[in-house]
Amino acid sequence: EDQVTQSPEALRLQEGESSSLNCSYTVSGLRGLFWYRQDPGKGPEFLFTLYSAGEEKEKERLKATLTKKESFLHITAPKPEDSATYLCAVQAFTGNQFYFGTGTSLTVIP
Amino acid sequence: DADVTQTPRNRITKTGKRIMLECSQTKGHDRMYWYRQDPGLGLRLIYYSFDVKDINKGEISDGYSVSRQAQAKFSLSLESAIPNQTALYFCATSDRSSGGARNEQFFGPGTRLTVL
């Protein structure tokens, strides 16, 4: 059964304190792994797509990496505006559905 | 203007009532999805459609139905609403991947539905 587990559920960081969020997945043939950012009361906003182990993507203070079993979202020197819930999703080659994790709620304290 | 819009944004209804949530998109995407989001459960797929004549059940379709009226419009109906359908509902779109290059989803702002 395809599934996605994100950890930790919540993370509090001081401004400038770098850390990583984890997304572990089980899928029968990975078509793609997706990272989204969700602000309170809003829909998820696309950040990255990763397709194969070893791939990395960067955007500002965020860097996403992928192995055969998990993905990491690294946040370097975070700022308060990075506070949000970060969602991970996977799509398998068999079937066309996306499976989402429950997210990591990140709070960056000034 | 937003690329993916949802109406209404908030709705309070009573048990047993029929409710329709509407989604429209101007992105020109062929694929549309309906999700619900519950605290601690994440986003779960209700239905998805890859074109006007294609409708597929998702993970949790019981108690819901959909209609794809046009490429740009995808409606979700709750035939007889019940309290455990209280949730945040999101519509999303994606474009048919070209060589597997891009398949990300674009989400609407959500509809908060409360069933009393």
Side-chain angles (χ1 to χ4, degrees), chain A residues 58-78:
Chain A
E58 285 190 69
K59 179 179 180 180
E60 297 180 353
R61 295 177 292 282
L62 300 177
K63 179 180 178 180
T65 62
L66 181 65
T67 72
K68 289 185 177 180
K69 294 184 178 181
E70 58 191 350
S71 176
F72 292 93
L73 184 65
H74 307 278
I75 303 177
T76 302

Side-chain angles (χ1 to χ4, degrees), chain A residues 31 34 36 38 41-44 46 49 51 87 91 96-102, chain B residues 33 35 37 40-43 45 48 50 90 100-105 107-109:
Chain A
R31 179 190 294 267
F34 306 84
Y36 292 84
Q38 186 175 22
K42 296 188 176 182
F46 170 75
T49 307
Y51 292 103
L87 303 174
Q91 187 185 32
N96 295 293
Q97 299 189 31
F98 293 79
Y99 296 93
F100 281 81
T102 53
Chain B
Y33 309 79
Y35 290 89
Q37 187 174 42
L41 293 177
L43 283 158
L45 184 63
Y48 61 102
F50 282 0
F90 287 103
R102 297 181 66 82
N103 201 22
E104 68 270 21
Q105 295 179 309
F107 285 81

Side-chain angles (χ1 to χ4, degrees), chain B residues 84-105:
Chain B
N84 76 0
Q85 291 178 313
T86 293
L88 192 54
Y89 289 83
F90 287 103
C91 173
T93 72
S94 70
D95 199 6
R96 185 177 318 198
S97 59
S98 174
R102 297 181 66 82
N103 201 22
E104 68 270 21
Q105 295 179 309

